mmCIF file of all heavy atoms in Angstrom:
data_model
loop_
_atom_site.group_PDB
_atom_site.id
_atom_site.type_symbol
_atom_site.label_atom_id
_atom_site.label_comp_id
_atom_site.label_asym_id
_atom_site.label_seq_id
_atom_site.Cartn_x
_atom_site.Cartn_y
_atom_site.Cartn_z
ATOM 1 N N ARG A 1 -6.042 14.226 -22.646
ATOM 2 C CA ARG A 1 -6.241 15.616 -22.226
ATOM 3 C C ARG A 1 -5.615 16.593 -23.215
ATOM 4 O O ARG A 1 -4.555 16.349 -23.775
ATOM 5 C CB ARG A 1 -5.597 15.839 -20.847
ATOM 6 C CG ARG A 1 -5.973 14.807 -19.800
ATOM 7 C CD ARG A 1 -7.433 14.815 -19.462
ATOM 8 N NE ARG A 1 -7.798 16.003 -18.694
ATOM 9 C CZ ARG A 1 -9.039 16.268 -18.305
ATOM 10 N NH1 ARG A 1 -10.024 15.474 -18.646
ATOM 11 N NH2 ARG A 1 -9.286 17.348 -17.604
ATOM 12 N N GLN A 2 -6.303 17.737 -23.436
ATOM 13 C CA GLN A 2 -5.789 18.832 -24.268
ATOM 14 C C GLN A 2 -5.234 18.327 -25.613
ATOM 15 O O GLN A 2 -4.139 18.705 -26.028
ATOM 16 C CB GLN A 2 -4.691 19.615 -23.524
ATOM 17 C CG GLN A 2 -5.198 20.527 -22.421
ATOM 18 C CD GLN A 2 -5.586 19.769 -21.156
ATOM 19 O OE1 GLN A 2 -4.820 18.961 -20.657
ATOM 20 N NE2 GLN A 2 -6.772 20.037 -20.634
ATOM 21 N N GLN A 3 -5.983 17.490 -26.290
ATOM 22 C CA GLN A 3 -5.472 16.896 -27.526
ATOM 23 C C GLN A 3 -5.258 17.938 -28.622
ATOM 24 O O GLN A 3 -4.276 17.875 -29.359
ATOM 25 C CB GLN A 3 -6.421 15.796 -28.005
ATOM 26 C CG GLN A 3 -6.419 14.584 -27.081
ATOM 27 C CD GLN A 3 -7.386 13.509 -27.521
ATOM 28 O OE1 GLN A 3 -8.474 13.796 -28.019
ATOM 29 N NE2 GLN A 3 -6.996 12.262 -27.357
ATOM 30 N N GLY A 4 -6.180 18.891 -28.748
ATOM 31 C CA GLY A 4 -6.012 19.931 -29.755
ATOM 32 C C GLY A 4 -4.808 20.806 -29.487
ATOM 33 O O GLY A 4 -4.037 21.143 -30.393
ATOM 34 N N GLU A 5 -4.627 21.156 -28.219
ATOM 35 C CA GLU A 5 -3.489 21.987 -27.838
ATOM 36 C C GLU A 5 -2.170 21.256 -28.084
ATOM 37 O O GLU A 5 -1.193 21.836 -28.589
ATOM 38 C CB GLU A 5 -3.599 22.386 -26.368
ATOM 39 C CG GLU A 5 -4.720 23.372 -26.057
ATOM 40 C CD GLU A 5 -6.039 22.677 -25.729
ATOM 41 O OE1 GLU A 5 -6.219 21.516 -26.176
ATOM 42 O OE2 GLU A 5 -6.874 23.278 -25.038
ATOM 43 N N LYS A 6 -2.138 19.960 -27.749
ATOM 44 C CA LYS A 6 -0.912 19.184 -27.934
ATOM 45 C C LYS A 6 -0.561 19.050 -29.419
ATOM 46 O O LYS A 6 0.626 19.087 -29.786
ATOM 47 C CB LYS A 6 -1.070 17.809 -27.290
ATOM 48 C CG LYS A 6 -1.096 17.866 -25.772
ATOM 49 C CD LYS A 6 -1.371 16.494 -25.170
ATOM 50 C CE LYS A 6 -1.419 16.558 -23.650
ATOM 51 N NZ LYS A 6 -1.739 15.235 -23.064
ATOM 52 N N ALA A 7 -1.568 18.900 -30.265
ATOM 53 C CA ALA A 7 -1.319 18.814 -31.707
ATOM 54 C C ALA A 7 -0.699 20.111 -32.218
ATOM 55 O O ALA A 7 0.225 20.104 -33.041
ATOM 56 C CB ALA A 7 -2.610 18.505 -32.450
ATOM 57 N N ALA A 8 -1.211 21.246 -31.728
ATOM 58 C CA ALA A 8 -0.677 22.543 -32.142
ATOM 59 C C ALA A 8 0.762 22.726 -31.658
ATOM 60 O O ALA A 8 1.623 23.218 -32.391
ATOM 61 C CB ALA A 8 -1.570 23.662 -31.602
ATOM 62 N N LEU A 9 1.030 22.335 -30.424
ATOM 63 C CA LEU A 9 2.382 22.451 -29.878
ATOM 64 C C LEU A 9 3.367 21.586 -30.653
ATOM 65 O O LEU A 9 4.488 22.010 -30.956
ATOM 66 C CB LEU A 9 2.381 22.039 -28.405
ATOM 67 C CG LEU A 9 1.608 22.956 -27.445
ATOM 68 C CD1 LEU A 9 1.443 22.283 -26.085
ATOM 69 C CD2 LEU A 9 2.315 24.292 -27.278
ATOM 70 N N ALA A 10 2.941 20.371 -30.993
ATOM 71 C CA ALA A 10 3.820 19.465 -31.736
ATOM 72 C C ALA A 10 4.140 20.021 -33.114
ATOM 73 O O ALA A 10 5.293 19.941 -33.570
ATOM 74 C CB ALA A 10 3.158 18.092 -31.860
ATOM 75 N N ARG A 11 3.157 20.579 -33.779
ATOM 76 C CA ARG A 11 3.408 21.143 -35.110
ATOM 77 C C ARG A 11 4.409 22.293 -35.038
ATOM 78 O O ARG A 11 5.315 22.405 -35.880
ATOM 79 C CB ARG A 11 2.097 21.625 -35.736
ATOM 80 C CG ARG A 11 2.250 22.088 -37.184
ATOM 81 C CD ARG A 11 0.928 22.435 -37.807
ATOM 82 N NE ARG A 11 0.306 23.595 -37.178
ATOM 83 C CZ ARG A 11 -0.800 24.191 -37.638
ATOM 84 N NH1 ARG A 11 -1.415 23.689 -38.699
ATOM 85 N NH2 ARG A 11 -1.301 25.229 -37.016
ATOM 86 N N ALA A 12 4.268 23.136 -34.013
ATOM 87 C CA ALA A 12 5.214 24.249 -33.852
ATOM 88 C C ALA A 12 6.606 23.736 -33.502
ATOM 89 O O ALA A 12 7.614 24.266 -33.978
ATOM 90 C CB ALA A 12 4.706 25.208 -32.780
ATOM 91 N N ALA A 13 6.682 22.697 -32.680
ATOM 92 C CA ALA A 13 7.981 22.141 -32.302
ATOM 93 C C ALA A 13 8.686 21.492 -33.474
ATOM 94 O O ALA A 13 9.920 21.527 -33.576
ATOM 95 C CB ALA A 13 7.794 21.118 -31.182
ATOM 96 N N CYS A 14 7.915 20.925 -34.398
ATOM 97 C CA CYS A 14 8.502 20.225 -35.539
ATOM 98 C C CYS A 14 9.358 21.169 -36.387
ATOM 99 O O CYS A 14 10.335 20.741 -37.015
ATOM 100 C CB CYS A 14 7.397 19.596 -36.380
ATOM 101 S SG CYS A 14 7.982 18.408 -37.593
ATOM 102 N N ALA A 15 9.014 22.449 -36.388
ATOM 103 C CA ALA A 15 9.759 23.426 -37.174
ATOM 104 C C ALA A 15 11.190 23.597 -36.666
ATOM 105 O O ALA A 15 12.062 24.082 -37.404
ATOM 106 C CB ALA A 15 9.033 24.774 -37.157
ATOM 107 N N TRP A 16 11.461 23.181 -35.432
ATOM 108 C CA TRP A 16 12.798 23.297 -34.855
ATOM 109 C C TRP A 16 13.703 22.113 -35.206
ATOM 110 O O TRP A 16 14.898 22.142 -34.920
ATOM 111 C CB TRP A 16 12.691 23.413 -33.328
ATOM 112 C CG TRP A 16 12.237 24.761 -32.881
ATOM 113 C CD1 TRP A 16 10.968 25.273 -32.948
ATOM 114 C CD2 TRP A 16 13.045 25.788 -32.295
ATOM 115 N NE1 TRP A 16 10.932 26.546 -32.440
ATOM 116 C CE2 TRP A 16 12.190 26.890 -32.037
ATOM 117 C CE3 TRP A 16 14.389 25.878 -31.954
ATOM 118 C CZ2 TRP A 16 12.659 28.066 -31.464
ATOM 119 C CZ3 TRP A 16 14.853 27.054 -31.374
ATOM 120 C CH2 TRP A 16 13.997 28.128 -31.134
ATOM 121 N N ILE A 17 13.135 21.086 -35.785
ATOM 122 C CA ILE A 17 13.894 19.868 -36.083
ATOM 123 C C ILE A 17 14.292 19.847 -37.553
ATOM 124 O O ILE A 17 13.466 20.109 -38.430
ATOM 125 C CB ILE A 17 13.060 18.621 -35.722
ATOM 126 C CG1 ILE A 17 12.770 18.611 -34.220
ATOM 127 C CG2 ILE A 17 13.780 17.340 -36.148
ATOM 128 C CD1 ILE A 17 11.813 17.523 -33.787
ATOM 129 N N GLU A 18 15.557 19.529 -37.818
ATOM 130 C CA GLU A 18 16.077 19.487 -39.181
ATOM 131 C C GLU A 18 16.579 18.083 -39.504
ATOM 132 O O GLU A 18 17.004 17.341 -38.613
ATOM 133 C CB GLU A 18 17.236 20.485 -39.336
ATOM 134 C CG GLU A 18 16.857 21.933 -39.086
ATOM 135 C CD GLU A 18 15.922 22.499 -40.135
ATOM 136 O OE1 GLU A 18 15.856 21.910 -41.241
ATOM 137 O OE2 GLU A 18 15.266 23.518 -39.858
ATOM 138 N N PRO A 19 16.541 17.695 -40.792
ATOM 139 C CA PRO A 19 17.107 16.401 -41.184
ATOM 140 C C PRO A 19 18.550 16.270 -40.706
ATOM 141 O O PRO A 19 19.332 17.222 -40.781
ATOM 142 C CB PRO A 19 17.014 16.426 -42.711
ATOM 143 C CG PRO A 19 15.860 17.332 -42.997
ATOM 144 C CD PRO A 19 15.929 18.401 -41.942
ATOM 145 N N GLY A 20 18.880 15.106 -40.191
ATOM 146 C CA GLY A 20 20.224 14.858 -39.670
ATOM 147 C C GLY A 20 20.363 15.108 -38.184
ATOM 148 O O GLY A 20 21.384 14.730 -37.585
ATOM 149 N N HIS A 21 19.370 15.728 -37.575
ATOM 150 C CA HIS A 21 19.435 16.012 -36.141
ATOM 151 C C HIS A 21 19.381 14.730 -35.306
ATOM 152 O O HIS A 21 18.740 13.739 -35.681
ATOM 153 C CB HIS A 21 18.258 16.891 -35.718
ATOM 154 C CG HIS A 21 18.537 18.346 -35.807
ATOM 155 N ND1 HIS A 21 17.576 19.315 -35.580
ATOM 156 C CD2 HIS A 21 19.678 19.037 -36.094
ATOM 157 C CE1 HIS A 21 18.105 20.517 -35.712
ATOM 158 N NE2 HIS A 21 19.381 20.375 -36.030
ATOM 159 N N ALA A 22 20.023 14.792 -34.143
ATOM 160 C CA ALA A 22 19.794 13.826 -33.069
ATOM 161 C C ALA A 22 18.838 14.506 -32.090
ATOM 162 O O ALA A 22 19.137 15.593 -31.581
ATOM 163 C CB ALA A 22 21.092 13.454 -32.374
ATOM 164 N N VAL A 23 17.682 13.880 -31.858
ATOM 165 C CA VAL A 23 16.602 14.498 -31.100
ATOM 166 C C VAL A 23 16.287 13.666 -29.865
ATOM 167 O O VAL A 23 16.055 12.453 -29.975
ATOM 168 C CB VAL A 23 15.322 14.616 -31.961
ATOM 169 C CG1 VAL A 23 14.205 15.315 -31.188
ATOM 170 C CG2 VAL A 23 15.614 15.335 -33.266
ATOM 171 N N ILE A 24 16.272 14.294 -28.707
ATOM 172 C CA ILE A 24 15.819 13.628 -27.483
ATOM 173 C C ILE A 24 14.354 13.989 -27.260
ATOM 174 O O ILE A 24 13.984 15.170 -27.277
ATOM 175 C CB ILE A 24 16.643 14.054 -26.261
ATOM 176 C CG1 ILE A 24 18.111 13.648 -26.415
ATOM 177 C CG2 ILE A 24 16.073 13.431 -24.985
ATOM 178 C CD1 ILE A 24 19.000 14.115 -25.269
ATOM 179 N N LEU A 25 13.525 12.964 -27.047
ATOM 180 C CA LEU A 25 12.121 13.164 -26.692
ATOM 181 C C LEU A 25 11.888 12.604 -25.295
ATOM 182 O O LEU A 25 12.247 11.456 -25.015
ATOM 183 C CB LEU A 25 11.204 12.457 -27.688
ATOM 184 C CG LEU A 25 11.273 12.913 -29.149
ATOM 185 C CD1 LEU A 25 10.280 12.113 -29.983
ATOM 186 C CD2 LEU A 25 11.001 14.399 -29.281
ATOM 187 N N ASP A 26 11.277 13.383 -24.425
ATOM 188 C CA ASP A 26 11.019 12.902 -23.070
ATOM 189 C C ASP A 26 9.759 12.032 -23.054
ATOM 190 O O ASP A 26 9.207 11.681 -24.093
ATOM 191 C CB ASP A 26 10.929 14.071 -22.091
ATOM 192 C CG ASP A 26 9.645 14.888 -22.229
ATOM 193 O OD1 ASP A 26 8.887 14.672 -23.203
ATOM 194 O OD2 ASP A 26 9.388 15.740 -21.359
ATOM 195 N N ASP A 27 9.279 11.709 -21.856
ATOM 196 C CA ASP A 27 8.145 10.795 -21.733
ATOM 197 C C ASP A 27 6.818 11.526 -21.570
ATOM 198 O O ASP A 27 5.882 11.003 -20.962
ATOM 199 C CB ASP A 27 8.359 9.835 -20.563
ATOM 200 C CG ASP A 27 8.474 10.549 -19.222
ATOM 201 O OD1 ASP A 27 8.539 11.800 -19.208
ATOM 202 O OD2 ASP A 27 8.510 9.859 -18.186
ATOM 203 N N SER A 28 6.708 12.712 -22.141
ATOM 204 C CA SER A 28 5.456 13.460 -22.056
ATOM 205 C C SER A 28 4.538 13.092 -23.217
ATOM 206 O O SER A 28 4.994 12.846 -24.336
ATOM 207 C CB SER A 28 5.726 14.967 -22.067
ATOM 208 O OG SER A 28 6.262 15.363 -23.315
ATOM 209 N N THR A 29 3.245 13.077 -22.945
ATOM 210 C CA THR A 29 2.289 12.799 -24.018
ATOM 211 C C THR A 29 2.191 13.972 -24.979
ATOM 212 O O THR A 29 1.681 13.814 -26.090
ATOM 213 C CB THR A 29 0.903 12.480 -23.441
ATOM 214 O OG1 THR A 29 0.456 13.561 -22.617
ATOM 215 C CG2 THR A 29 0.948 11.203 -22.617
ATOM 216 N N THR A 30 2.680 15.137 -24.574
ATOM 217 C CA THR A 30 2.719 16.274 -25.500
ATOM 218 C C THR A 30 3.721 16.013 -26.612
ATOM 219 O O THR A 30 3.412 16.190 -27.796
ATOM 220 C CB THR A 30 3.081 17.568 -24.743
ATOM 221 O OG1 THR A 30 2.194 17.733 -23.631
ATOM 222 C CG2 THR A 30 2.950 18.775 -25.655
ATOM 223 N N THR A 31 4.916 15.567 -26.263
ATOM 224 C CA THR A 31 5.909 15.285 -27.297
ATOM 225 C C THR A 31 5.523 14.055 -28.120
ATOM 226 O O THR A 31 5.964 13.916 -29.259
ATOM 227 C CB THR A 31 7.308 15.074 -26.690
ATOM 228 O OG1 THR A 31 7.260 14.018 -25.725
ATOM 229 C CG2 THR A 31 7.809 16.337 -26.025
ATOM 230 N N LEU A 32 4.705 13.178 -27.558
ATOM 231 C CA LEU A 32 4.250 12.007 -28.316
ATOM 232 C C LEU A 32 3.513 12.428 -29.583
ATOM 233 O O LEU A 32 3.555 11.733 -30.604
ATOM 234 C CB LEU A 32 3.344 11.142 -27.438
ATOM 235 C CG LEU A 32 2.857 9.812 -28.019
ATOM 236 C CD1 LEU A 32 4.024 8.913 -28.400
ATOM 237 C CD2 LEU A 32 1.950 9.114 -27.004
ATOM 238 N N ASN A 33 2.850 13.580 -29.540
ATOM 239 C CA ASN A 33 2.140 14.084 -30.717
ATOM 240 C C ASN A 33 3.087 14.477 -31.844
ATOM 241 O O ASN A 33 2.663 14.627 -32.986
ATOM 242 C CB ASN A 33 1.279 15.292 -30.335
ATOM 243 C CG ASN A 33 0.021 14.909 -29.597
ATOM 244 O OD1 ASN A 33 -1.053 14.850 -30.172
ATOM 245 N ND2 ASN A 33 0.138 14.649 -28.307
ATOM 246 N N LEU A 34 4.354 14.646 -31.527
ATOM 247 C CA LEU A 34 5.357 15.012 -32.522
ATOM 248 C C LEU A 34 5.800 13.812 -33.366
ATOM 249 O O LEU A 34 6.243 13.968 -34.513
ATOM 250 C CB LEU A 34 6.558 15.626 -31.796
ATOM 251 C CG LEU A 34 7.745 16.138 -32.598
ATOM 252 C CD1 LEU A 34 7.333 17.243 -33.550
ATOM 253 C CD2 LEU A 34 8.825 16.645 -31.635
ATOM 254 N N VAL A 35 5.653 12.619 -32.821
ATOM 255 C CA VAL A 35 6.205 11.419 -33.450
ATOM 256 C C VAL A 35 5.703 11.192 -34.878
ATOM 257 O O VAL A 35 6.499 10.893 -35.784
ATOM 258 C CB VAL A 35 5.949 10.182 -32.562
ATOM 259 C CG1 VAL A 35 6.333 8.895 -33.279
ATOM 260 C CG2 VAL A 35 6.740 10.319 -31.264
ATOM 261 N N PRO A 36 4.397 11.319 -35.164
ATOM 262 C CA PRO A 36 3.943 11.077 -36.541
ATOM 263 C C PRO A 36 4.529 12.048 -37.563
ATOM 264 O O PRO A 36 4.485 11.766 -38.768
ATOM 265 C CB PRO A 36 2.417 11.240 -36.442
ATOM 266 C CG PRO A 36 2.089 11.023 -35.008
ATOM 267 C CD PRO A 36 3.258 11.564 -34.256
ATOM 268 N N MET A 37 5.055 13.168 -37.121
ATOM 269 C CA MET A 37 5.606 14.170 -38.026
ATOM 270 C C MET A 37 7.078 13.949 -38.337
ATOM 271 O O MET A 37 7.622 14.585 -39.240
ATOM 272 C CB MET A 37 5.436 15.572 -37.413
ATOM 273 C CG MET A 37 4.027 15.903 -36.986
ATOM 274 S SD MET A 37 3.955 17.510 -36.133
ATOM 275 C CE MET A 37 2.287 17.471 -35.487
ATOM 276 N N LEU A 38 7.726 13.060 -37.598
ATOM 277 C CA LEU A 38 9.175 12.930 -37.707
ATOM 278 C C LEU A 38 9.620 12.305 -39.024
ATOM 279 O O LEU A 38 10.741 12.550 -39.474
ATOM 280 C CB LEU A 38 9.723 12.127 -36.529
ATOM 281 C CG LEU A 38 9.555 12.767 -35.148
ATOM 282 C CD1 LEU A 38 10.139 11.864 -34.076
ATOM 283 C CD2 LEU A 38 10.214 14.144 -35.106
#
């Protein structure tokens, strides 16, 4: 569901993550779209 929207959200969220961070990801399929960018 909403695959295009989730891809856009993940790309925007990736900008908040910096090298060296400890990042918690929940069990949402929206955040799953962030994984390939990490």
Side-chain angles (χ1 to χ4, degrees):
R1 310 296 289 178
Q2 286 76 50
Q3 292 178 323
E5 290 89 336
K6 290 175 181 178
L9 293 168
R11 186 175 66 173
C14 193
W16 285 75
I17 298 173
E18 299 292 341
H21 270 174
V23 182
I24 297 177
L25 298 181
D26 73 350
D27 61 352
S28 66
T29 57
T30 307
T31 57
L32 185 58
N33 284 260
L34 182 60
V35 172
M37 307 175 191
L38 296 180

